[in-house]
């Protein structure tokens, strides 16, 4: 384990990412001198500059010369010149996950929210409830949460809330007092061999919870059910009447927003009205409700805070309406399960046609889940595919958005499916063809949101 007290000058490689930027802000708040590098400038790097962090654009060996500890994100490769130079100079290296685990160990009531889908939303919900309860948690969330002014807030209490990402087994560096397992699904198959490998990792994560801690789990996911077998400290939630926290009386209002009742061990606690759409958000909210109730927060306060929650940026984020009456929404969904959930949520909102502008995220994910992607867009009327967002990968997999578009047309010949090689072409097509009452969703974990901004700027 890294003893942070030994160090003064800390350098972060990949500091512009949502995960490492949060760590950097916590370290600055604690009085460390922090620098960091990223491949390109962004809103995040500009924000970090304003907090007193020295930012380098581009990865170069000389960036680490004054550091006595290096922290790197999961996206950083061994051949990175700053990693190489740090090894040459014997500067200690630690992953972002290692440092997160070290920080969490200092908090008596630490909460780690895991799962293939829904982590950011559920973490945001839990964080805002604890804030509303006056518990002043330290918060790390994987998105921009307007209520805290970003993706991190340094609190003043024993409470610590964070997302726990399974990619490259990062979450195995954490030792939370309370662990939430939202779901388990096939993803990150550039690292995991198969679903069994993923389940084994979640099982190891569950075993990190101390005997006096709690595992809060969705018991209708078969892989989650497998992980929680044999654990005595499990609290369940879901539609099963035997769940510790039972969801019932689900309804949708005229705007497509869901509500539901929560019972605890058979006793009805509250009816919860949400202002974020989709059945998936019922489960996210139920997980947050269970977590906060286990922490002792009043059920009525939980329900009231969940009702006031309007989402994080890039999670069914309503950007605006064009002068032609077209509503533009942005969403981070990049896995077939998430795509179906988001499109299902959109269907509950009054609309004429539903458009999806989708940017696949990484070649390996597109290749591994190709058949699932081909069947994930059934609920959209018009689908436009942008080029694959490479992220950390190189184009060596013989896969493309053109091939995915062709497969979707073959599987669904009656559907309007297009491939376009630039956001400008996509935005122009939407502006020309979308009509009053249509809903257009930009979707993906890359930079497809720029197409939505172009559509709005042209209005």
């Amino acid at each position: 384990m890294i003893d942070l007290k030994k160090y003064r000058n800390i350098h972060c490689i990949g500091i512009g990412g949502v995960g490492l930027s949060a760590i950097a802000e916590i370290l600055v708040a604690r009085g460390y001198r922090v620098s960091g590098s990223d491949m390109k400038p962004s809103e995040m790097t500009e924000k970090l500059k304003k907090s007193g962090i020295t930012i380098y654009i581009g990865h170069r060996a000389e960036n680490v010369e004054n550091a006595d500890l290096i922290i790197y994100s999961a996206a950083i490769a061994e051949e990175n010149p700053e990693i190489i130079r740090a090894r040459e100079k014997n500067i200690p290296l630690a992953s972002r996950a290692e440092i997160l685990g070290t920080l969490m160990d200092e908090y008596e009531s630490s909460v780690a929210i895991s799962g293939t889908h829904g982590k950011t939303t559920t973490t945001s919900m839990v964080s805002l409830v604890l804030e509303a309860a006056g518990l002043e948690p330290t918060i790390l969330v994987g998105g921009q949460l307007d209520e805290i002014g970003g993706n991190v807030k340094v609190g003043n209490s024993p409470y610590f809330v964070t997302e726990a990402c399974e990619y490259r087994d990062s979450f195995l560096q954490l030792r939370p007092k309370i662990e939430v397992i939202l779901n388990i699904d096939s993803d990150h198959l550039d690292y995991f061999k198969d679903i069994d490998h993923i389940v084994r990792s979640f099982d190891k994560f569950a075993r990190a919870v101390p005997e006096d801690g709690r595992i809060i789990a969705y018991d209708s996911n078969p892989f989650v059910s497998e992980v929680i077998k044999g654990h005595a400290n499990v609290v369940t939630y879901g539609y099963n009447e035997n769940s510790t926290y039972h969801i019932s009386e689900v309804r949708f209002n005229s705007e497509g927003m869901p509500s539901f009742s929560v019972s605890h061990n058979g006793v009805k606690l509250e009816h919860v009205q949400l202002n974020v759409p989709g059945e998936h958000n019922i489960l996210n909210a139920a997980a947050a409700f269970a977590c906060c109730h286990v922490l002792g927060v009043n059920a009525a306060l939980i329900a009231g805070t969940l009702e006031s929650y309007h989402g994080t940026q890039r999670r069914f984020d309503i950007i605006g309406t064009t002068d032609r009456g077209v509503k533009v929404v942005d969403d981070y969904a990049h896995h077939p399960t998430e795509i179906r959930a988001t499109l299902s949520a959109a269907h509950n909102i009054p609309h004429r046609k539903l458009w999806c502008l989708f940017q696949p995220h990484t070649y390996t994910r597109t290749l591994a889940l190709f058949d699932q992607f081909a069947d994930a867009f059934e609920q959209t009327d018009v689908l436009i595919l942008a080029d694959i967002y490479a992220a950390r990968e190189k184009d060596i997999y013989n896969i493309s958005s053109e091939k995915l578009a062709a497969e979707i047309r073959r599987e669904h010949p009656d559907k309007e499916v297009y491939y376009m090689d630039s956001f400008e072409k996509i935005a122009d097509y939407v502006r020309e063809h979308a009509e009053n009452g249509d809903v257009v969703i930009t979707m993906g974990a890359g930079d497809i949101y720029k197409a939505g901004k172009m559509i709005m700027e042209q209005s």
Side-chain angles (χ1 to χ4, degrees):
M1 185 186 296
I2 297 287
D3 182 1
L4 286 171
K5 295 185 181 69
K6 291 182 178 179
Y7 307 103
R8 179 65 180 157
N9 300 306
I10 300 176
H11 181 77
C12 301
I13 311 176
I15 198 168
V18 70
L20 191 49
S21 63
I23 296 291
E25 288 200 52
I26 290 176
L27 293 172
V28 165
R30 291 183 171 207
Y32 292 94
R33 291 196 190 101
V34 180
S35 63
S37 60
D38 214 283
M39 287 302 295
K40 56 186 178 181
S42 63
E43 291 180 13
M44 183 63 76
T45 56
E46 289 304 308
K47 179 188 175 189
L48 294 173
K49 277 184 185 178
K50 291 175 183 176
S51 67
I53 296 173
T54 301
I55 299 293
Y56 303 103
I57 301 304
H59 298 304
R60 293 179 294 273
E62 57 264 31
N63 293 345
V64 307
E65 291 300 320
N66 296 319
D68 48 28
L69 175 66
I70 306 289
I71 306 172
Y72 57 91
S73 76
I76 301 302
E78 279 293 313
E79 58 267 25
N80 181 284
E82 296 180 18
I83 295 284
I84 292 170
R85 182 56 177 157
R87 294 198 189 285
E88 290 172 351
K89 293 191 66 179
N90 292 317
I91 302 172
L93 288 155
S95 69
R96 181 249 179 200
E98 286 178 86
I99 299 301
L100 179 57
T102 297
L103 292 171
M104 283 184 74
D105 284 344
E106 300 176 12
Y107 293 80
E108 194 176 309
S109 297
S110 56
V111 179
I113 295 169
S114 69
T116 312
H117 321 292
K119 291 187 291 293
T120 296
T121 295
T122 308
T123 303
S124 299
M125 289 175 167
V126 169
S127 299
L128 294 180
V129 171
L130 298 186
E131 281 272 286
L135 297 178
E136 299 185 52
T138 292
I139 301 164
L140 279 78
V141 63
Q144 298 299 304
L145 183 58
D146 289 342
E147 289 88 343
I148 65 171
N151 62 324
V152 61
K153 181 175 181 180
V154 180
N156 185 31
S157 78
Y159 293 90
F160 189 104
V161 185
T162 186
E163 291 185 32
C165 182
E166 74 276 15
Y167 182 57
R168 294 191 179 277
D169 283 333
S170 294
F171 62 177
L172 299 186
Q173 301 288 342
L174 312 182
R175 295 159 291 276
K177 191 72 172 286
I178 292 180
E179 178 183 302
V180 179
I181 307 178
L182 300 169
N183 43 64
I184 299 174
D185 200 351
S186 291
D187 199 11
H188 298 304
L189 296 174
D190 56 330
Y191 172 75
F192 292 111
K193 296 181 181 68
D194 50 31
I195 188 65
D196 291 335
H197 185 188
I198 298 169
V199 170
R200 287 196 299 274
S201 288
F202 273 90
D203 182 61
K204 291 176 184 176
F205 183 49
R207 294 178 190 281
V209 177
E211 288 184 9
D212 61 342
R214 290 288 184 274
I215 301 169
I216 298 170
Y218 175 49
D219 57 4
S220 291
N221 180 291
F223 304 116
V224 176
S225 295
E226 185 178 336
V227 165
I228 62 178
K229 279 179 186 173
H231 290 276
N233 53 352
V234 174
V235 172
T236 59
Y237 69 93
Y239 297 102
N240 186 332
E241 288 188 1
N242 295 322
S243 300
T244 315
Y245 290 87
H246 175 226
I247 303 165
S248 63
E249 299 177 347
V250 173
R251 303 185 187 95
F252 290 85
N253 65 21
S254 60
E255 296 178 344
M257 301 302 173
S259 65
F260 62 98
S261 293
V262 181
S263 299
H264 178 238
N265 290 328
V267 178
K268 184 174 176 179
L269 293 177
E270 288 290 332
H271 192 76
V272 180
Q273 174 67 57
L274 296 179
N275 280 296
V276 285
E279 291 184 32
H280 61 296
N281 277 320
I282 294 173
L283 291 174
N284 292 335
F289 194 109
C291 179
C292 295
H293 199 247
V294 164
L295 285 168
V297 180
N298 174 271
L301 187 148
I302 298 172
T305 306
L306 291 175
E307 182 173 356
S308 69
Y309 174 71
H310 286 84
T312 54
Q313 294 178 26
R314 304 223 60 214
R315 271 69 177 182
F316 214 91
D317 193 2
I318 297 174
I319 305 303
T321 302
T322 71
D323 55 1
R324 295 181 64 176
V326 177
K327 182 177 286 187
V328 179
V329 177
D330 182 51
D331 196 90
Y332 192 72
H334 55 285
H335 183 283
T337 301
E338 297 166 352
I339 293 165
R340 291 189 190 95
T342 299
L343 294 178
S344 177
H347 253 279
N348 287 318
I349 294 173
H351 65 280
R352 193 188 75 92
K353 276 189 174 182
L354 179 59
W355 295 59
C356 182
L357 318 180
F358 180 65
Q359 180 188 44
H361 187 263
T362 72
Y363 301 104
T364 52
R365 180 182 283 114
T366 307
L367 182 62
L369 303 177
F370 187 82
D371 291 341
Q372 293 181 47
F373 278 117
D375 286 326
F377 298 94
E378 289 180 88
Q379 296 191 77
T380 191
D381 297 300
V382 183
L383 172 63
I384 303 177
L385 296 180
D387 283 321
I388 294 171
Y389 187 83
R392 54 192 171 266
E393 297 180 346
K394 295 180 180 178
D395 185 5
I396 58 172
Y397 297 94
N398 194 30
I399 191 70
S400 69
S401 290
E402 282 184 279
K403 289 183 178 179
L404 180 56
E407 179 65 14
I408 295 170
R409 286 191 209 102
R410 191 182 71 79
E411 291 282 339
H412 305 277
D414 297 331
K415 188 174 290 298
E416 282 190 65
V417 181
Y418 307 98
Y419 158 74
M420 297 182 189
D421 61 8
S422 74
F423 292 161
E424 288 81 7
K425 290 180 183 177
I426 293 172
D428 288 345
Y429 187 87
V430 172
R431 288 289 302 163
E432 185 176 347
H433 293 91
E435 298 181 15
N436 181 39
D438 287 358
V439 173
V440 175
I441 304 178
T442 56
M443 186 181 289
D447 57 356
I448 187 65
Y449 62 88
K450 293 177 181 177
K453 288 185 176 180
M454 290 176 186
I455 293 166
M456 291 303 302
E457 286 168 359
Q458 294 169 14
S459 63

